[in-house]
Amino acid sequence: MIVRKLQNAEKTDRKIFSKGWDSTRLLLKNDNMGFSFHITTIYQDAELHLHYQNHLESVYCISGKGSIEDIATGEVHPIEPGVMYALDQHDKHILRAEQEMKMACVFNPPLNGKEVHNAEGAYELEAETVSD
Ligand code: 9YT
């Protein structure tokens, strides 16, 4: 069994900072669960252009307010607590935070640990792992 506390993990290199967001990666590839699980904060007024070409992601909004724009259709879906979205088609999208948003995110395949977005808004399949 694996038990971790967010408040402890946030003090380790499981917490990754990037432009407009940070993410604490509670489960990673080396946990052998087949997915990774993160608690992500999207900062107020952030606009993230993302395209996870190598991963499937699902995201659940815990708090805050924003939207997700589906680039293929132009549809804009409001995001608020209780909303889940799943990028089942590796959907190119823009995530916007009107207010700071806390999100629970699952990635398949799991992240290694230190990934930040490349120029296309994707994560590479290989990245540095975190040490515990
Ligand atoms: C919702 C989203 O994709 N945010 C970017 C960070 C990502 N969730 C991560 O790496 O944990």
Side-chain angles (χ1 to χ4, degrees), residues 36-114:
S36 58
F37 179 69
H38 322 162
I39 300 296
T40 298
T41 302
I42 312 288
Y43 304 156
Q44 183 169 18
D45 297 327
E47 177 175 301
L48 307 181
H49 293 244
L50 302 174
H51 190 194
Y52 292 120
Q53 292 147 322
N54 302 317
H55 297 86
L56 299 170
E57 185 196 23
S58 79
V59 177
Y60 174 80
C61 178
I62 300 165
S63 64
K65 192 176 174 199
S67 65
I68 181 168
E69 179 174 344
D70 182 339
I71 298 298
T73 64
E75 261 182 297
V76 177
H77 305 274
I79 296 181
E80 59 186 21
V83 172
M84 182 282 303
Y85 64 85
L87 304 168
D88 62 327
Q89 306 294 319
H90 300 278
D91 315 70
K92 199 172 179 179
H93 62 286
I94 303 173
L95 187 59
R96 295 185 174 92
E98 252 173 74
Q99 300 167 359
E100 178 181 283
M101 298 193 291
K102 295 273 182 201
M103 325 283 263
C105 311
V106 173
F107 277 79
N108 170 23
L111 298 200
N112 294 285
K114 296 282 182 86

